[in-house]
Amino acid sequence: MRLIPGLSQLLPAFVGAFLAAALISLVLTPAVRALAHRLDVVDEPNHRRVNTQPIARGGGVAVGIGFLIVALVLTLLVASGSLAGFTFLSIDEGEMTALLLGSGLAVAIGLLDDVLNLRARWQLVSQLILAVGAVLLGINIDSLANPFGPGQINLDGIWGIAFTIFWIVGMINSINWIDGLDGLSSGIGVIAAVTLGLISLTLGAGPFGQPYVALLCFALAGALLGFLRWNFHPASIFAGTSGVMLIGYALAILSILGSAKVAVALLVLGVPIIDTFWNIVRRLATGGSPFTPDRGHVHHRLMDLGLGQTRAVLVIYAITLALAILSIVLSGAGAGQLYGFLGVLVASGLLLLILTRRSLVMAEFQASSYEDDDPKSG
């Protein structure tokens, strides 16, 4: 990994973007929480949820405001030439609009679901609308690293469009499905955004890197970290669909804006992506709908083994951080990142199988112990 020259002169802007977004979301989140309780926009306890009392949702609004305010100010400063060392380089106006306007729409659509509890089909329709809108504005994955040889796999025409839409919708749903414990999706988002930002500052992202994209990555990471203060266990507010939509959409677009960053996101977000993949496979194999919610996700399996919320989340953080480091080490070697992802896919499948068997054995043991202790049994 080789960093771009003159990076030390750009560091104050990165730190400023991160801290400003963090401060805004940190301050706004309690206000959003109070409003959510007043409007009864809360998650009630049920058999799938880990919260034992009503918790406000819609925290993505605070994250979105923090991210978008800082991102818009930075974009205006770069456009006016007031931020020394920063240019848009290959990022055009349509792509910037797709990121910023699309992120705002993602929050708004997600908030609508937080308030009205839309059915899953309407959530999917809204995700497709966001993805198609991004493509129309110029977001496109036109090539991927070739895992079978040198060079790239070109995705021309309809193939590039189809894969881009699939990537954006898939990313949103991966974040959505991993969002089951306090601080899990927001913490993973912080790690992923910082990793994408760091990759943008390497020569693998271009001869001059992509400092502007890195600015936006660090702004997103800061906004998520400010929110995480209130979202970590014991959470007083959940990200909600507004947060899930923002995190998934913004990370998907940021990973597209630059060479090899799709492979980076594929690896660093390996936990939610692979969790989604294996759960779809498991549900289809048992004759169920792939969209029917259950307690089969990796975080549920970890808790079934006796880990509390905090420990389960920290384990997944650690795995995500390890994958982030691996993606940075392999930066510039897109095929290597894809090989890494495939290796993680196989290993995670085995791990989930072991966790599933262990959790089932423990559940049966606890049930039999209860029957043995019950004076009415036998």
Side-chain angles (χ1 to χ4, degrees), residues 17-97:
F18 182 89
L19 293 178
L23 180 61
I24 293 172
S25 66
L26 178 68
V27 172
L28 280 181
T29 300
V32 172
R33 179 184 61 200
L35 182 60
H37 278 294
R38 188 178 308 165
L39 299 177
D40 197 32
V41 182
V42 298
D43 270 344
E44 299 287 351
N46 61 35
H47 68 284
R48 286 187 59 251
R49 301 188 185 278
V50 295
N51 55 301
T52 57
Q53 60 184 355
I55 301 293
R57 63 174 180 263
V61 173
V63 178
I65 292 174
F67 169 60
L68 289 173
I69 287 178
V70 174
L72 286 170
V73 170
L74 291 172
T75 299
L76 292 174
L77 289 175
V78 174
S80 65
S82 303
L83 209 56
F86 290 89
T87 60
F88 296 124
L89 292 176
S90 60
I91 310 300
D92 61 34
E93 184 176 342
E95 291 171 326
M96 285 187 288
T97 302

Side-chain angles (χ1 to χ4, degrees), residues 15-374:
V15 174
F18 182 89
L19 293 178
L23 180 61
I24 293 172
S25 66
L26 178 68
V27 172
L28 280 181
T29 300
V32 172
R33 179 184 61 200
L35 182 60
H37 278 294
R38 188 178 308 165
L39 299 177
D40 197 32
V41 182
V42 298
D43 270 344
E44 299 287 351
N46 61 35
H47 68 284
R48 286 187 59 251
R49 301 188 185 278
V50 295
N51 55 301
T52 57
Q53 60 184 355
I55 301 293
R57 63 174 180 263
V61 173
V63 178
I65 292 174
F67 169 60
L68 289 173
I69 287 178
V70 174
L72 286 170
V73 170
L74 291 172
T75 299
L76 292 174
L77 289 175
V78 174
S80 65
S82 303
L83 209 56
F86 290 89
T87 60
F88 296 124
L89 292 176
S90 60
I91 310 300
D92 61 34
E93 184 176 342
E95 291 171 326
M96 285 187 288
T97 302
L99 174 62
L100 301 179
L101 179 61
S103 293
L105 288 175
V107 173
I109 293 172
L111 180 60
L112 191 63
D113 178 65
D114 287 332
V115 175
L116 301 178
N117 285 313
L118 301 176
R119 300 186 68 174
R121 70 183 67 173
W122 295 115
Q123 292 186 41
L124 180 60
V125 169
S126 66
Q127 294 165 10
L128 287 170
I129 291 173
L130 281 173
V132 171
V135 169
L136 292 176
L137 287 169
I139 298 296
N140 186 46
I141 301 173
D142 53 15
S143 65
L144 291 171
N146 183 3
F148 307 108
Q152 303 279 321
I153 297 176
N154 293 322
L155 300 174
D156 297 323
I158 189 65
W159 297 109
I161 292 172
F163 188 79
T164 303
I165 293 173
F166 173 78
W167 176 253
I168 296 172
V169 173
M171 186 72 76
I172 293 172
N173 281 284
S174 294
I175 297 297
N176 183 30
W177 286 16
I178 202 69
D179 185 40
L181 297 181
D182 296 353
L184 186 52
S185 64
S186 50
I188 289 176
V190 171
I191 298 171
V194 169
T195 303
L196 290 175
L198 291 175
I199 296 294
S200 298
L201 298 176
T202 66
L203 295 179
F208 305 102
Q210 290 182 314
Y212 169 71
V213 174
L215 268 179
L216 301 184
C217 289
F218 292 129
L220 177 62
L224 287 168
L225 186 64
F227 170 71
L228 188 58
R229 157 63 180 85
W230 309 105
N231 183 232
F232 197 75
H233 186 69
S236 61
I237 184 170
F238 294 150
T241 308
S242 55
V244 165
M245 293 278 282
L246 170 66
I247 298 170
Y249 180 84
L251 288 176
I253 301 301
L254 288 168
S255 67
I256 294 173
L257 297 178
S259 60
K261 288 206 284 290
V262 168
V264 170
L266 196 64
L267 188 54
V268 72
L269 290 169
V271 172
I273 292 173
I274 293 170
D275 180 66
T276 299
F277 173 78
W278 283 120
N279 273 284
I280 290 176
V281 170
R282 175 179 56 80
R283 291 168 184 173
L284 290 175
T286 55
S289 167
F291 302 106
T292 300
D294 57 27
R295 284 184 54 84
H297 296 283
V298 62
H299 47 276
H300 292 135
R301 298 302 185 190
L302 289 173
M303 292 191 68
D304 289 343
L305 292 178
L307 295 180
Q309 276 208 62
T310 300
R311 288 186 178 180
V313 169
L314 291 178
V315 166
I316 298 176
Y317 280 1
I319 296 172
T320 303
L321 185 59
L323 293 175
I325 294 171
L326 180 61
S327 69
I328 293 173
V329 171
L330 294 175
S331 64
Q337 289 163 341
L338 289 177
Y339 282 131
F341 176 77
L342 292 174
V344 173
L345 179 65
V346 174
S348 66
L350 295 174
L351 177 61
L352 284 173
L353 177 62
I354 294 171
L355 290 177
T356 300
R357 293 177 67 94
R358 285 285 302 277
S359 61
L360 290 175
V361 169
M362 290 184 67
E364 291 175 358
F365 175 75
Q366 291 172 355
S368 63
S369 298
Y370 175 78
E371 292 177 357
D372 291 342
D373 294 338
D374 188 352

